[in-house]
């Protein structure tokens, strides 16, 4: 049995998948705020906010690295294609 047999992905449009995603997120909004229970407890209990700031900086750092790497790869490919 083929895995895509239940939902025929070949015939499903991108628009329909987007609508399903939006409806799913609307029905389960608590999943959008999900995070580790331990992290949440530590961040909510501290009054100075230094731990929360550190966590936020770490998230931004982890998020930025892939974008920088992909931009570098595209730059080198662009430079190679131009020459």
């Amino acid at each position: 049995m083929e895995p895509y047999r239940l939902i025929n992905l070949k015939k499903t449009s991108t628009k329909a998948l987007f609508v399903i995603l939006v409806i799913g997120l609307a029905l389960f909004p608590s999943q959008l705020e999900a995070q580790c229970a331990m992290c949440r407890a530590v961040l909510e209990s501290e009054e100075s906010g230094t731990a929360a700031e550190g966590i936020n900086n770490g998230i931004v750092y982890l998020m930025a690295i892939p974008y920088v790497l992909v931009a570098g790869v595209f730059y080198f490919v662009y430079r190679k294609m131009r020459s």
Side-chain angles (χ1 to χ4, degrees):
M1 182 174 183
E2 297 174 14
Y4 58 86
R5 189 165 217 175
L6 294 174
I7 300 173
N8 192 353
L9 293 178
K10 293 179 181 178
K11 291 184 180 180
T12 306
S13 70
T14 309
K15 189 176 183 179
L17 288 175
F18 179 74
V19 169
I20 291 170
L21 177 69
V22 168
I23 290 172
L25 291 176
L27 292 176
F28 302 106
S30 63
Q31 297 299 322
L32 296 175
E33 297 179 19
Q35 62 181 343
C36 168
M38 294 295 290
C39 296
R40 184 179 195 134
V42 168
L43 296 178
E44 287 179 350
S45 67
E46 188 178 338
E47 292 182 18
S48 66
T50 57
E53 186 177 343
I55 296 288
N56 287 339
N57 290 339
I59 290 170
V60 170
Y61 175 75
L62 289 172
M63 182 187 71
I65 294 300
Y67 286 109
V68 170
L69 292 174
V70 168
V73 168
F74 279 126
Y75 172 73
F76 286 116
V77 168
Y78 174 76
R79 221 173 72 186
K80 193 73 163 172
M81 297 286 277
R82 294 273 304 195
S83 61

